[in-house]
């Protein structure tokens, strides 16, 4: 009986990042704050970058691609845009993972900032130039800022989950 509880706990922690990714893709986390306008952050970017960097086998690239398709359906974007953006974030994480000798949260966060700046720029360009979607740059800048700042918090939470899960 105790062995089953341990196995259940280990499986729960193993699939928690994937469950959290799909939950965050299907439910957009935008919090409306009247004094600041729109306060939002992109939790899928944080999850994808962190787990692609620290444990790439935890969430497979195919599952991330499918989450991008679900995100496009949820937001009403052309199919494949979010998947492409998610795969570019994976590429930044893979590059950092391959060149890093000693992991450091500050170096990781700088590459994460470059990754989300690049991803949001490409996303905005594709949506505005090809699909004529109106882009609100203030909302994008706010989203990038809060996504970057919350990366530190979620990295600590995910580090804790990795230690508890092992």
């Amino acid at each position: 009986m105790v062995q089953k509880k341990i196995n259940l706990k280990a499986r729960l922690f193993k699939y928690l990042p994937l469950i959290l990714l799909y939950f965050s893709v299907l439910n957009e986390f935008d919090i409306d704050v009247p004094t600041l306008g729109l306060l939002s952050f992109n939790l899928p970017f944080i999850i994808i970058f962190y787990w692609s960097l620290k444990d790439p086998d935890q969430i497979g690239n195919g599952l991330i691609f499918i989450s991008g398709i679900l995100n496009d359906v949820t937001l009403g974007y052309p199919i494949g845009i979010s998947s492409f953006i998610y795969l570019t974030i994976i590429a930044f994480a893979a590059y950092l993972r391959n060149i890093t000798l000693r992991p450091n949260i500050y170096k990781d966060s700088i590459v994460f900032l470059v990754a989300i700046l690049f991803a949001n720029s490409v996303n905005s360009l594709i949506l505005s130039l090809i699909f004529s979607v109106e882009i609100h740059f203030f909302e994008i800048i706010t989203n990038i800022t809060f996504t970057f700042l919350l990366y530190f918090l979620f990295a600590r939470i995910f580090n804790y989950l990795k230690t508890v899960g092992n």
Side-chain angles (χ1 to χ4, degrees):
M1 184 59 105
V2 175
Q3 185 65 23
K4 285 185 179 183
K5 285 184 181 181
I6 293 172
N7 286 338
L8 181 64
K9 180 181 173 185
R11 282 188 177 182
L12 178 67
F13 282 114
K14 177 180 167 78
Y15 294 112
L16 188 64
L18 182 64
I19 293 167
L20 188 59
L21 175 64
Y22 279 100
F23 180 76
S24 65
V25 163
L26 294 173
N27 298 312
E28 284 299 309
F29 287 109
D30 289 337
I31 303 167
D32 189 17
V33 179
T35 57
L36 293 177
L38 182 67
L39 173 75
S40 67
F41 64 97
N42 201 327
L43 186 57
F45 283 6
I46 296 171
I47 294 168
I48 291 167
F49 185 82
Y50 178 85
W51 290 104
S52 295
L53 178 65
K54 300 297 182 181
D55 191 2
D57 295 330
Q58 189 73 21
I59 303 176
N61 294 349
L63 294 172
I64 293 172
F65 185 84
I66 292 170
S67 72
I69 299 291
L70 291 173
N71 189 48
D72 290 336
V73 170
T74 303
L75 294 176
Y77 286 166
I79 300 296
I81 299 293
S82 296
S83 297
F84 176 70
I85 299 304
Y86 291 172
L87 293 177
T88 58
I89 291 173
I90 292 171
F92 275 92
Y95 174 74
L96 179 63
R97 186 178 61 249
N98 287 332
I99 66 166
T100 302
L101 295 176
R102 285 181 259 166
N104 182 339
I105 184 69
Y106 300 110
K107 292 176 191 174
D108 297 350
S109 66
I110 296 300
V111 174
F112 178 66
L113 179 61
V114 172
I116 61 175
L117 284 170
F118 181 79
N120 280 316
S121 298
V122 169
N123 190 28
S124 298
L125 281 172
I126 291 172
L127 290 175
S128 66
L129 294 178
I130 297 174
F131 297 105
S132 300
V133 174
E134 185 179 340
I135 304 297
H136 302 282
F137 291 104
F138 179 74
E139 292 175 7
I140 293 172
I141 292 170
T142 304
N143 185 289
I144 290 170
T145 303
F146 285 107
T147 302
F148 173 70
L149 293 175
L150 288 173
Y151 178 75
F152 294 100
L153 173 68
F154 281 101
R156 287 185 152 242
I157 292 170
F158 294 153
N159 281 336
Y160 175 75
L161 288 176
K162 278 179 59 175
T163 59
V164 171
N166 291 333

